[in-house]
Amino acid sequence: MRIIAKRTITAFYEKTPFRDSKSALEAWYDDTRKSDWKNPSDIKEKYRNASILQKNRVIFNIHGNKYRLVVKLNYDAQIVYIRFIGAHAQYDKIDSENI
């Protein structure tokens, strides 16, 4: 999978309050980059706690569910678009199906 954009991940974990997310986000990035997801069930095989939403969006729990990562997938093109990374309080303020 191609992930758009890595700099979104690094910009998040370089912020002081979120530095503890670095290893978990980097692990997710490496795993996802090596993946070949064709549909939501492929994601659930690896990430059982991922939440599959409408409009090809998926929510991943990061760093023991301390953070949330929302992505939009284009399965045919093998692209993952990062739509949101944040703590639960931030996540609660967004509409994850339309972000």
Side-chain angles (χ1 to χ4, degrees), residues 4 8 25 28 51 53-54 56-62 67-73 80-86 91 94-99:
I4 310 293
T8 304
L25 284 169
W28 175 88
S51 298
L53 304 178
Q54 302 279 332
N56 291 328
R57 285 172 170 71
V58 178
I59 302 170
F60 294 94
N61 299 319
I62 303 293
Y67 303 106
R68 291 283 177 102
L69 170 64
V70 179
V71 302
K72 181 178 181 180
L73 287 106
V80 177
Y81 300 94
I82 297 172
R83 307 300 295 158
F84 171 84
I85 306 172
Y91 171 79
I94 66 163
D95 177 0
S96 56
E97 289 190 3
N98 292 305
I99 192 165

Side-chain angles (χ1 to χ4, degrees), residues 5-49:
K6 169 85 185 244
R7 82 181 97 99
T8 304
I9 292 173
T10 56
F12 179 77
Y13 68 62
E14 287 176 349
K15 295 177 187 171
T16 302
F18 308 123
R19 290 189 193 273
D20 62 339
S21 68
K22 180 178 180 175
S23 61
L25 284 169
E26 288 289 338
W28 175 88
Y29 179 86
D30 289 340
D31 286 345
T32 301
R33 192 173 48 85
K34 296 172 189 171
S35 297
D36 182 25
W37 295 329
K38 302 286 188 221
N39 55 54
S41 63
D42 290 345
I43 296 169
K44 290 295 268 186
E45 283 181 28
K46 174 75 177 172
Y47 295 99
R48 300 224 182 266
N49 292 327

